[in-house]
Amino acid sequence: MAHTDYNVWLDRGHFDDAERVYQEHLSQLKSGGASSCADRSSCKAAQNSVVAGTSECKLVARVDTLEKENREFRKLTDELRSAITSLTNRLAALEKGSGSESKAAAPTQPSPAAKKEEKSEEPGDDDDFDLFGSGDEAADEDAERVREERLKAYNEKKAKKPVVIAKSNIILDVKPWDDETDMAKLEECVRSIEMDGLLWGASKLVPLAYGIRKLQISCVVEDDKVSTDDLEERIVAFEDYIQSMDIAAFNKI
C-alpha cells in the first residue's frame, strides 16, 4: 500500500482570530494618533497665547515703571533748578550788600593840602628834630651791648658743658715668628708704645699651633687721637719679635 502525505492546516482558525485582533489594534492606534496630534496642536496654541499674554503684561509693567521713574526724575530736576535759582539770587544779594558796606566803611583820604596844614599845626616838631640823630646812635649802642653780653654768656655756658669724647675698646692679636720667641719681651715692646689717647689693658697668651702662642692684649683709644693704622705700624715695627698683628675685636664705648 502506497504511502501518501497530506498537508492539512489544522490551526487556521486560530490564525484568523489573531489576524483580526491585530487589524483592530492597528485601527485603534490610527484613530488615537490623529486625536493626540489634534490635542498637541491645541495645547501648543494655548501655550503660545499664554506666552504672548505674559510678555504683554511684562511690557506694560515695564512701561509703567519707566513712566513712574521719569516723573520722579522730572520732579527732582525741578527741585534742583529751583534750589540753584534761590542760591544764585541769595549770592547776588550778598555780593551787593558787601559792596555797599565796603564803600560805606572806606575812610575818606585827606587831601594833600589838609595833610600839609595838619603838619604845620603840630607844635614843637622843628624844635624836637635832631639833625644828627644822636638818639638813634645811643639806641644802637645799647642794642649792640646787649647782644654782646648775650653772646658772651652763651659762649661761657657752652664752654662749661662737658665734651663727650668718643672712645673704643680694641683687642689685638700679636703673633710671633715661632715658638722660640720671647713672649715676655714681645709684650714689653708692645706696652712700650705710648700715644696721646692710648691706654693699655689686660693681656694673655693664647695657644696657636705647634707650641706657638700669640699675645692677646686689650687697649682703650680715643678715636680722634689714635688710629688703628698708626697703632699697627708701631707694633709691627718690632720685627725681631712680631710677625703680624690683627684686630680681634673693636667696640665703641
Side-chain angles (χ1 to χ4, degrees), residues 126-180:
D126 295 336
D127 297 337
D128 295 338
F129 179 72
D130 189 358
L131 182 62
F132 300 99
S134 58
D136 295 338
E137 292 180 356
D140 293 340
E141 290 178 359
D142 292 339
E144 183 68 20
R145 179 176 54 81
V146 172
R147 188 180 69 83
E148 290 179 356
E149 290 178 355
R150 291 180 179 178
L151 184 61
K152 183 178 179 181
Y154 173 75
N155 292 331
E156 291 178 355
K157 183 178 179 180
K158 187 176 180 181
K160 292 179 181 180
K161 187 177 180 180
V163 180
V164 178
I165 301 175
K167 296 182 179 181
S168 301
N169 184 17
I170 306 175
I171 299 177
L172 305 175
D173 285 344
V174 184
K175 299 177 183 178
W177 288 103
D178 51 26
D179 58 342
E180 296 180 356

Side-chain angles (χ1 to χ4, degrees), residues 11-27:
D11 296 331
R12 183 174 181 178
H14 296 290
F15 177 78
D16 293 337
D17 293 337
E19 181 69 19
R20 180 177 54 78
V21 172
Y22 176 69
Q23 292 299 330
E24 290 177 356
H25 180 66
L26 286 179
S27 63

Side-chain angles (χ1 to χ4, degrees), residues 42-106:
S42 62
C43 289
K44 188 172 183 181
Q47 289 177 357
N48 291 332
S49 63
V50 171
V51 170
T54 304
S55 301
E56 185 176 357
C57 292
K58 288 182 178 179
L59 182 60
V60 172
R62 180 60 178 167
V63 170
D64 293 339
T65 303
L66 291 175
E67 289 180 353
K68 184 178 179 181
E69 291 178 355
N70 190 15
R71 287 194 298 270
E72 292 178 354
F73 180 73
R74 185 174 299 174
K75 181 179 178 182
L76 180 61
T77 305
D78 294 338
E79 292 177 356
L80 289 176
R81 186 180 294 110
S82 62
I84 292 173
T85 304
S86 176
L87 289 175
T88 304
N89 296 332
R90 185 177 179 183
L91 181 60
L94 290 175
E95 289 179 353
K96 185 176 180 180
S98 62
S100 60
E101 290 177 0
S102 61
K103 289 181 180 179

